[in-house]
Amino acid sequence: MEGEEKKAGGRSSPFWWTIDGFSTIVNRGADTYYSRSFTACGFNWKLRLGLVLEKDGEKYVRLCLSNDDAASKDSEIKAIYKLFIYDQLHGEDIQKEGEDYFHSKSLDGCCFKVALNKFHSSKSGLLVNDRCVFGAQVLHAFAISKSDKEGIHESLSLNKDLTPRIYTWVFKDVSKSNMILKSEAFAAGGYNWRIWLYPNLATCKDALGVFLTMHNAASLASKTSVYVEYSLSLLDLDNAKHRKLTAKNLFSSGSFTWGYPKFLSWKEVQDPSRGFLRNDICIVEATVVVLGVNTIALTRTKRTRCDLS
């Protein structure tokens, strides 16, 4: 067996791996064979060859590109490459393109499988005088650290102080209102908030809608959201059987209002046996806990590119 790197036509050639005595591999069956290490695009590689029996009963020759560096690096190596088997009779390659991430738990890329009977075909030049020629060409390769992997990265910074802010607001003339009722702004977790009430309006027909809105959301960066746990309560002034709903949501400049369009049916709000509406007054309470800040960033990977020219 021998490996070589050649120059041809002004372009970097593949790494070629010639195997004499291919029948030995066929006779031994399950053994795995590795080429010597070769360098391409700043990393070290090997070819791995084996024979496998698939579920269809056919035997296949499997050729893989294996990375020699990934096991010792705290990063992934992304590579775009080609695998070849040279047809010695027709002077051409059969090939497969691959694009893989190599890391400590996966040193091999995708495998190029060719049926063993194709090697023994009289019309094929893959096996001549018990000799085969395999190859690999690494087109581009670059390391990607765990923190710099290309893509969209979301980061949630949680607060240590999770003291809730409880705010109570008295709404007057509720049933007479034909518009949204808004509380004064109140501070919680470093942001300003308001309670919005929809008393049987067209958008919340036959119901009371209750919402929490971030009053200063427009000042947030476009990729920043505030992660909030909140409760909205309509107080029962007679029986203390309050209506309370709790949720967690991300508030941002584009999504600054969360709540319940059908917090309670309008019939239940007006029910005289309940204490939700007295003298056309209702009391709504908001409990707000700012859990943290969520940011989204698009990361571009720094690449060491190997171009064939």
Side-chain angles (χ1 to χ4, degrees):
M1 302 181 188
E2 59 183 24
E4 56 183 339
E5 292 170 283
K6 300 177 180 178
K7 294 285 184 179
R11 293 171 60 91
S12 298
S13 293
F15 170 81
W16 294 110
W17 185 27
T18 302
I19 297 180
D20 283 311
F22 182 73
S23 58
T24 301
I25 293 177
V26 175
N27 293 334
R28 292 181 65 88
D31 285 356
T32 300
Y33 298 83
Y34 288 91
S35 74
R36 71 171 178 85
S37 180
F38 65 96
T39 301
C41 296
F43 301 100
N44 296 313
W45 311 89
K46 287 181 180 179
L47 285 176
R48 180 169 68 84
L49 185 70
L51 198 66
V52 293
L53 179 64
E54 296 286 353
K55 293 180 180 179
D56 59 6
E58 290 282 345
K59 286 186 177 180
Y60 289 83
V61 176
R62 292 183 60 182
L63 180 68
C64 303
L65 181 68
S66 183
N67 184 267
D68 263 3
D69 302 300
S72 61
K73 290 184 176 294
D74 187 27
S75 62
E76 291 183 332
I77 298 169
K78 183 177 181 180
I80 301 170
Y81 58 93
K82 292 182 180 180
L83 295 173
F84 306 97
I85 305 177
Y86 183 57
D87 187 327
Q88 300 168 67
L89 291 182
H90 303 96
E92 60 187 19
D93 304 312
I94 61 171
Q95 60 181 269
K96 179 177 181 178
E97 294 188 9
E99 181 174 340
D100 285 296
Y101 290 92
F102 298 82
H103 50 83
S104 59
K105 294 182 180 179
S106 180
L107 302 179
D108 294 329
C110 64
C111 291
F112 187 8
K113 292 195 307 182
V114 178
L116 181 60
N117 58 22
K118 189 169 183 177
F119 283 77
H120 295 300
S121 171
S122 59
K123 298 180 181 180
S124 169
L126 301 183
L127 180 63
V128 176
N129 297 325
D130 209 22
R131 170 183 286 189
C132 293
V133 181
F134 302 94
Q137 187 175 35
V138 181
L139 305 177
H140 314 298
F142 46 89
I144 305 172
S145 71
K146 292 180 180 178
S147 60
D148 290 337
K149 193 170 182 179
E150 182 175 314
I152 298 173
H153 287 243
E154 184 172 326
S155 176
L156 176 62
S157 299
L158 295 174
N159 294 335
K160 293 182 179 179
D161 182 8
L162 299 179
T163 303
R165 169 73 161 93
I166 301 175
Y167 178 78
T168 304
W169 183 255
V170 178
F171 289 90
K172 298 179 180 179
D173 299 324
V174 175
S175 63
K176 299 175 184 177
S177 178
N178 59 359
M179 63 180 66
I180 302 171
L181 300 174
K182 300 179 181 181
S183 74
E184 294 179 348
F186 62 96
Y191 303 92
N192 294 325
W193 309 87
R194 296 176 80 172
I195 301 170
W196 287 5
L197 217 62
Y198 288 65
N200 193 26
L201 302 183
T203 50
C204 302
K205 187 66 176 174
D206 298 323
L208 177 70
V210 184
F211 298 86
L212 179 69
T213 183
M214 179 181 278
H215 186 55
N216 56 342
S219 63
L220 293 176
S222 61
K223 301 297 183 181
T224 299
S225 302
V226 180
Y227 190 35
V228 180
E229 181 177 39
Y230 60 94
S231 298
L232 295 170
S233 302
L234 179 64
L235 302 189
D236 182 340
L237 303 179
D238 294 341
N239 312 298
K241 293 182 178 179
H242 311 311
R243 170 68 167 171
K244 180 179 180 180
L245 295 177
T246 300
K248 293 178 183 177
N249 288 109
L250 289 169
F251 289 76
S252 66
S253 58
S255 185
F256 52 84
T257 300
W258 290 93
Y260 306 92
K262 295 185 177 181
F263 184 83
L264 193 65
S265 73
W266 192 242
K267 184 177 180 180
E268 288 180 275
V269 172
Q270 293 184 309
D271 186 346
S273 68
R274 308 293 296 272
F276 295 128
L277 192 62
R278 285 290 175 263
N279 301 319
D280 215 17
I281 293 173
C282 70
I283 300 176
V284 179
E285 188 174 86
T287 303
V288 180
V289 180
V290 175
L291 301 176
V293 176
N294 194 76
T295 56
I296 296 175
L298 178 63
T299 303
R300 298 291 184 185
T301 307
K302 294 181 179 180
R303 304 182 177 189
T304 302
R305 184 174 178 135
C306 176
D307 290 312
L308 300 177
S309 56

